[in-house]
Amino acid sequence: MGIVAAFDKVLFFNEANKYCVLRLKTADDMIPADAKSPYRYSDHLIRFTAVGYDLPRTNAIQIELEGVWQNGKYGCQFQVEHWCEIVPPTLEGIRGYLASGLLKGIGEKTADAIVQRFGIHALNVLEREPERLLEIKGITEERLEDIKTGYAESKAMRDLMTLLAPFKVTPVTALKIYEHFGPDGVKLLRQSPYRLCQVSGFGFKRVDAIVQKSGGDLLDPMRVQGALFYALEQGRNEKGHLYLGAEELIKSSLLLLNEKIPQLEQQLSRQQVEDTLEGMIRNNVVVSNKGNIYLPHVYTQESETACKAVQMTLEVPESVRLAPVMERMKSRLGINLSKKQSEGVEMVFRHNLSIITGGPGTGKSTVLKAVIEAYRAIYPRKIIKLAAPTGKASRRMAETTGIMDAQTLHSLLGLHGSESWQKKKRDLDADLVIVDETSMMDMGLAWQLFQRIRPGTKLLLVGDADQLESVGAGDVFHELIDSGIVPVTVLDEIFRQAKDSPIPHNAKYINEGSTELYFCRDFAFIQADSQEETADMVRSLYKREIAQSGIDQVQILTPYRSRGEASSDALNETIREEVNPPLQGKPEVMFGGSMFRLDDRVMQTKNNSLIQLRDDEGKELTPGVFNGEIGRVHDIQTGKIVINFDGRYADYPLEGLSELTLSYASTIHKAQGSEYDTVIIPLLMAHRILLTRNLLYTAVTRAKRRVLLVGQIKALYTAIHTSRKGKRKTLLAERMRLYHQSQAMKAGDTEVKRAS
């Protein structure tokens, strides 16, 4: 339905994602009675609440709104799906629109000058002859570009929202689409909506159903392209593959294309898909490398990362006298290093790219401290940067090294929100960069990191190679190690958690495929024969452990998110009702089928660099909350809830709750980079498809003091005996070896020429 209204008051606005709750005023008496404000105003207009993204917060214009009325906790509100400005065709109306702040680069003085110069035709000049704005004093070429860009983006976004109305996209999704396709997005999508399959979140089936409802052609070559794009995206997002073999890609695409076509004579043939794929390869829509099909930007990421990594290994840093520095450090700080640890420190100074890997308790943190202290002693004026893929891992890194400005990789690299990952960024201002928990780093993040390392900068990658691969696509840490080109130090002697702790020892046995585990009070196995019995035991143990250690020090880690009573979803719902039950007067909020209650333990499920954080005194902190960070619901207010992430507070609009989930229990994958005093791990044969050695190893090594395994002993042994399943499709190591070989041959040719 359409409503013409004007701005009245901001009730809530999130600067990060532009989500807002506004009070609007209108003369439209068709507003539902339960949506009308009960108060009377002197202008006799009706007030109501509208919710949407980046709605105009100025009364200089009227807006026409399209959307639906929805009833919720905060009453009846208008959910805006699309809006457009109504600019009165008067000098004052045009001036008000230009000065409203909706157009970047135009303020009140500039608006006055534009109207004075062009009068009633000012908007036509802005749209059709923007260069004429240079006739106005104060508007330079640079400023004109800002104005043109701002106006074009604003218009393109409105056109895009109109075009995508059948897909029910939010403005945030429209912005992601705009950033993917650029200013030509509307034109490209008018040619074929199937291009949406290139955008994360738009599955082929969703796009196809809407297009076919509008009379789309089942044999449209763009439909075949859409299926091929989606199959590549699915392989990347669901299985971590950077490419698919042509045969696998064609088979997957044919299944998608013919799923809803029962008549055999109407189904697409293999030849049609092959022909379309060949055309895509010829036109560089996808990349074929020896029959392996990549999305172009993924191919670029893998290729450029391989080249940069090899270039760094070929750089020859200046030699330093490390022995006297190590001796002084040993006497001054009491840091005693084993032979392997000393080799790790020396390796960092001999090479510009190096890796240190080891399991729990093997002294990785000690080596990091030694590297930092030695580097500071030798290069007191040079810059050291520390980072890790998650906020929790970066804060733990800061605590163990004493460098309190350790950051998430996203913050270090300046990656914000849905910003295009294809944009070139400036080099990092650093001489030594250390990244911890590198096994969590996917291909996209690794590419961003390696592209920012300037020549001569040292990069040290630290992590546990036996943990799970990254959640995102690629297998960067293992590939760098397996290439045989990057210098690697493997720490295999257990130091930490004392010799009497069973956790590092049992982790080592698990990693070796041995079932001869040492069970005791701090590493126990509790038998349970079914999902129901296991879930009951897990809940009982959880309540006992949080009573002893506190809720922040205990975590349930399960293989599955949503299958059975022992999955994280089911455990979260039942445990929440026991440890944080509903009480009269205790606020709750419901959004999108999920309910959050004051004091609930919650987890961020996506990287979001734009969420603004503040301390308990209201001082703004570095923005950004990242995948896997855990917090507590601190407050619930009208239109938002406040989450406390270990003393850092963030406001979430109701729409932002889609990025949160309960976290009394979580999947093992989500726990990467985190540590807890106690972990409780349900293990059942019902989960056997996911039970692997590195999954169990990752879960066990999240614990600092106690591991409680609950379930079937057969499931435990299955996990120990099952090595990593299904290698991810990536050629990073192979590319590195080929590039290294070509560089060596070039160097050899140069030496021959010099000799002759």
Side-chain angles (χ1 to χ4, degrees), residues 52-72:
Y53 287 89
D54 210 15
L55 303 177
R57 298 178 303 284
T58 172
N59 56 14
I61 57 169
Q62 287 192 310
I63 50 177
E64 185 173 356
L65 309 164
E66 298 285 341
V68 294
W69 292 103
Q70 288 189 351
N71 283 295

Side-chain angles (χ1 to χ4, degrees), residues 43-268:
D43 57 13
H44 304 296
L45 296 176
I46 299 165
R47 265 67 173 179
F48 67 96
T49 302
V51 177
Y53 287 89
D54 210 15
L55 303 177
R57 298 178 303 284
T58 172
N59 56 14
I61 57 169
Q62 287 192 310
I63 50 177
E64 185 173 356
L65 309 164
E66 298 285 341
V68 294
W69 292 103
Q70 288 189 351
N71 283 295
K73 181 178 177 67
Y74 301 105
C76 186
Q77 299 178 329
F78 192 71
Q79 303 285 329
V80 179
E81 296 173 351
H82 173 67
W83 62 268
C84 62
E85 310 102 324
I86 301 174
V87 181
T90 64
L91 289 178
E92 188 54 38
I94 293 169
R95 189 260 174 210
Y97 170 63
L98 293 175
S100 66
L102 294 173
L103 302 178
K104 188 167 63 176
I106 299 179
E108 292 196 10
K109 288 184 179 180
T110 306
D112 287 338
I114 292 173
V115 172
Q116 188 175 354
R117 178 72 180 83
F118 301 111
I120 201 76
H121 304 295
L123 294 185
N124 286 333
V125 170
L126 187 62
E127 184 163 349
R128 298 172 188 167
E129 303 176 274
E131 285 74 18
R132 291 190 62 191
L133 294 179
L134 292 171
E135 299 171 18
I136 297 171
K137 185 179 179 181
I139 296 185
T140 62
E141 292 276 1
E142 186 177 355
R143 192 170 175 196
L144 174 63
E145 284 305 310
D146 287 342
I147 293 171
K148 285 165 63 177
T149 300
Y151 185 77
E153 286 181 358
S154 178
K155 185 176 186 303
M157 282 296 294
R158 290 197 299 275
D159 292 345
L160 198 58
M161 287 296 295
T162 301
L163 179 67
L164 296 173
F167 294 89
K168 303 292 183 186
V169 304
T170 66
V172 165
T173 304
L175 179 61
K176 183 165 71 172
I177 294 167
Y178 176 81
E179 289 177 340
H180 183 91
F181 293 109
D184 294 331
V186 171
K187 177 183 173 183
L188 292 170
L189 292 175
R190 279 196 179 119
Q191 291 172 355
S192 175
Y194 287 105
R195 294 182 191 272
L196 282 173
C197 296
Q198 302 174 36
V199 181
S200 176
F202 281 89
F204 174 80
K205 293 179 182 179
R206 177 186 176 190
V207 176
D208 196 40
I210 294 170
V211 175
Q212 295 310 316
K213 197 180 291 185
S214 308
D217 181 6
L218 291 172
L219 302 180
D220 180 0
M222 294 305 296
R223 180 173 182 260
V224 181
Q225 277 202 26
L228 288 162
F229 270 123
Y230 180 66
L232 285 172
E233 284 288 358
Q234 198 173 34
R236 193 163 66 100
N237 294 330
E238 294 184 8
K239 297 179 180 178
H241 299 324
L242 297 187
Y243 67 85
L244 290 180
E247 180 67 22
E248 182 182 357
L249 176 60
I250 290 168
K251 284 182 178 178
S252 299
S253 302
L254 269 172
L255 286 173
L256 282 168
L257 290 162
N258 292 327
E259 186 178 15
K260 295 294 177 66
I261 309 177
Q263 297 83 10
L264 285 174
E265 63 275 8
Q266 293 183 5
Q267 290 187 352
L268 280 88

Side-chain angles (χ1 to χ4, degrees), residues 327-371:
E327 281 300 317
R328 288 197 300 271
M329 185 171 61
K330 179 179 177 181
S331 60
R332 186 168 63 89
L333 300 176
I335 298 179
N336 292 307
L337 301 180
S338 68
K339 183 182 177 184
K340 273 284 183 71
Q341 289 175 319
S342 297
E343 289 172 357
V345 177
E346 291 167 6
M347 176 185 67
V348 174
F349 287 89
R350 288 199 309 270
H351 305 278
N352 280 351
L353 175 61
S354 56
I355 290 174
I356 293 174
T357 182
T362 55
K364 295 190 296 293
S365 296
T366 302
V367 176
L368 279 191
K369 282 191 276 192
V371 168

Side-chain angles (χ1 to χ4, degrees), residues 276-293:
T276 301
L277 178 58
E278 285 178 12
M280 292 170 73
I281 294 168
R282 281 196 307 272
N283 295 318
N284 298 316
V285 179
V286 295
V287 176
S288 176
N289 178 35
K290 299 178 182 178
N292 301 315
I293 312 300

Side-chain angles (χ1 to χ4, degrees), residues 432-722:
L432 169 62
V433 178
I434 302 176
V435 179
D436 200 4
E437 298 287 356
T438 312
S439 61
M440 299 177 65
M441 187 169 67
D442 62 24
M443 189 70 254
L445 198 53
W447 174 72
Q448 287 283 357
L449 172 64
F450 275 91
Q451 290 306 297
R452 315 289 179 77
I453 300 294
R454 62 193 182 192
T457 294
K458 290 184 179 296
L459 175 61
L460 170 60
L461 303 176
V462 184
D464 187 343
D466 296 310
Q467 286 187 25
L468 289 167
E469 309 96 329
S470 58
V471 175
D475 196 4
V476 177
F477 197 48
H478 294 109
E479 289 285 294
L480 290 171
I481 293 171
D482 293 346
S483 71
I485 294 167
V486 182
V488 179
T489 299
V490 180
L491 303 178
D492 51 14
E493 182 182 349
I494 293 172
F495 297 97
R496 183 165 58 83
Q497 293 173 297
K499 298 288 184 179
D500 59 348
S501 173
I503 295 172
H505 296 282
N506 281 334
K508 190 170 185 289
Y509 295 148
I510 290 168
N511 199 33
E512 293 168 350
S514 170
T515 55
E516 299 297 319
L517 304 183
Y518 172 64
F519 293 112
C520 59
R521 183 178 181 276
D522 287 338
F523 200 103
F525 185 89
I526 298 99
Q527 179 69 32
D529 296 323
S530 65
Q531 286 249 28
E532 296 87 347
E533 187 181 348
T534 299
D536 287 342
M537 181 60 68
V538 166
R539 288 193 294 269
S540 175
L541 289 169
Y542 183 77
K543 287 186 288 185
R544 185 192 78 186
E545 293 297 320
I546 64 172
Q548 294 176 2
S549 305
I551 198 167
D552 294 329
Q553 294 301 320
V554 183
Q555 186 65 36
I556 300 167
L557 301 178
T558 176
Y560 262 98
R561 184 175 66 84
S562 58
R563 184 178 295 182
E565 291 86 345
S567 66
S568 63
D569 283 355
L571 286 168
N572 272 322
E573 290 296 333
T574 54
I575 286 174
R576 192 256 301 276
E577 297 310 302
E578 295 184 27
V579 302
N580 189 27
L583 297 173
Q584 187 172 1
K586 193 168 199 174
E588 301 174 349
V589 62
M590 176 74 75
F591 184 83
S594 297
M595 190 269 283
F596 297 95
R597 185 176 294 147
L598 186 67
D599 297 327
D600 265 341
R601 184 171 161 86
V602 295
M603 176 185 285
Q604 175 77 11
T605 60
K606 295 179 180 178
N607 291 328
N608 191 332
S609 303
L610 294 180
I611 295 178
Q612 184 57 58
L613 295 162
R614 61 183 184 276
D615 63 17
D616 52 9
E617 295 180 351
K619 180 183 176 183
E620 287 194 354
L621 304 171
T622 303
V625 181
F626 299 95
N627 192 354
E629 290 208 59
I630 290 177
R632 299 279 287 277
V633 177
H634 177 74
D635 194 11
I636 297 178
Q637 303 173 11
T638 302
K640 70 174 182 179
I641 71 174
V642 182
I643 308 298
N644 177 3
F645 292 100
D646 295 328
R648 303 171 306 138
Y649 297 84
D651 293 338
Y652 281 72
L654 299 187
E655 190 79 6
L657 299 187
S658 62
E659 295 186 1
L660 293 175
T661 185
L662 294 175
S663 68
Y664 303 97
S666 78
T667 63
I668 296 168
H669 280 84
K670 286 289 185 185
Q672 285 180 269
S674 299
E675 277 190 347
Y676 306 95
D677 189 70
T678 301
V679 298
I680 304 170
I681 308 168
L683 290 171
L684 294 156
M685 289 305 293
H687 299 158
R688 62 184 172 274
I689 192 170
L690 288 181
L691 293 179
T692 61
R693 188 179 305 154
N694 62 327
L695 183 93
L696 177 61
Y697 175 87
T698 301
V700 165
T701 55
R702 299 310 88 209
K704 292 185 287 186
R705 189 176 64 88
R706 179 175 296 170
V707 172
L708 301 174
L709 305 166
V710 185
Q712 298 159 334
I713 196 72
K714 184 179 179 182
L716 172 64
Y717 292 160
T718 297
I720 292 173
H721 288 146
T722 306

